[in-house]
Amino acid sequence: MNGAPPALFFLNQEYADRLRVPMYGYTTGRTIGGDHKAYQGHVDRLAMGDLRIEDVPVHTIPDTIRLTAPDGRVTQGAIGTSVLSRFLSTIDYPAEKLVLRRNGWVRPEHSVPMGYVGDHFLLSHGTVDGLDRMVFLVDTGGADIGFTAPRATFEAAGIPIPPGDGLHPVTVDEVALGSVTRRRVPGLSGAFPSWFEHGFGFRIGGLPTHEFFKPYALTFDFGRMRILMNTPR
């Protein structure tokens, strides 16, 4: 990125400062780690293997928020929707590959309509434990969990949640996204940002994430606005 040596790319503040990435202000972001300032800027170019991407918008997160790769290395950055949306993007979990196609198409085993709101939020429809269909916020970053939701969703599904704030592991009997149904999904209460539930003018009832998608090659087709899932052959 910007001619720096290869790095696991998540724009932590220290890494952005080291590369002298220009910043133009900030908003207040919220993660499991709490509220923080997210500074906005851009990098001239981002390189991934032989692929070069120009003029990439970025934001930073505090250095106290660090992600660790499976091999133990600490990340400096994460590739977000602003990059993935430029391609037919496949996160192939079983093959441990990220595939970015400039054109073409993927024959899907499962295909789900996808919406796009705000600057990077992906939406679809799903169900939890037999409840009526609801809007899901689709995410891939929830390491070690497959689902989170507002307290109201867990309560409607009959999933007991301890009183008060805090993170609590739960197990969700059934989560469905289109024709994909996963059972005994590891979940986490207290991780769903409260403003997500009604912050877009409609209710978001849940968020499937990393462990839900892990058995699949997951493709985001931004041209056709579909989420595609294929199991390994």
Side-chain angles (χ1 to χ4, degrees), residues 54-76:
E54 304 294 329
D55 193 23
V56 180
V58 299
H59 73 268
T60 66
I61 61 172
D63 298 322
T64 53
I65 301 175
R66 291 284 188 173
L67 302 178
T68 302
D71 63 4
R73 290 181 294 167
V74 176
T75 62
Q76 281 80 42

Side-chain angles (χ1 to χ4, degrees), residues 109-229:
E109 182 179 353
H110 305 279
S111 177
V112 187
M114 178 177 71
Y116 195 174
V117 297
D119 60 350
H120 69 281
F121 299 105
L122 303 182
L123 304 175
S124 193
H125 286 99
T127 61
V128 183
D129 285 356
L131 298 176
D132 291 341
R133 192 177 73 153
M134 63 186 71
V135 178
F136 278 172
L137 179 65
V138 178
D139 176 72
T140 59
D144 300 324
I145 67 169
F147 187 75
T148 187
R151 177 178 286 269
T153 296
F154 287 125
E155 290 177 345
I159 299 171
I161 304 296
D165 297 331
L167 304 176
H168 303 284
V170 297
T171 299
V172 185
D173 286 340
E174 182 179 285
V175 178
L177 180 66
S179 57
V180 173
T181 300
R182 300 291 315 281
R183 292 180 172 81
R184 305 295 294 170
V185 178
L188 191 67
S189 71
F192 191 89
S194 59
W195 75 269
F196 276 176
E197 187 172 6
H198 298 285
F200 295 104
F202 50 87
R203 183 175 186 268
I204 295 177
L207 187 154
T209 186
H210 184 81
E211 289 293 327
F212 179 89
F213 296 111
K214 203 170 180 179
Y216 301 98
L218 171 68
T219 298
F220 296 107
D221 187 336
F222 290 92
R224 300 172 180 86
M225 294 306 290
R226 310 289 294 187
I227 297 171
L228 315 175
M229 285 173 277

Side-chain angles (χ1 to χ4, degrees), residues 83-104:
V83 172
L84 298 180
S85 62
R86 303 184 186 200
F87 304 93
L88 180 63
S89 300
T90 299
I91 303 171
D92 190 334
Y93 285 98
E96 299 182 350
K97 292 181 179 179
L98 173 65
V99 182
L100 302 176
R101 303 174 178 88
R102 292 195 181 275
N103 48 49

Side-chain angles (χ1 to χ4, degrees), residues 44-48 51-56 83 86-87:
D44 294 332
R45 59 193 177 277
L46 170 66
M48 294 181 289
L51 183 66
R52 301 291 186 272
I53 307 172
E54 304 294 329
D55 193 23
V56 180
V83 172
R86 303 184 186 200
F87 304 93

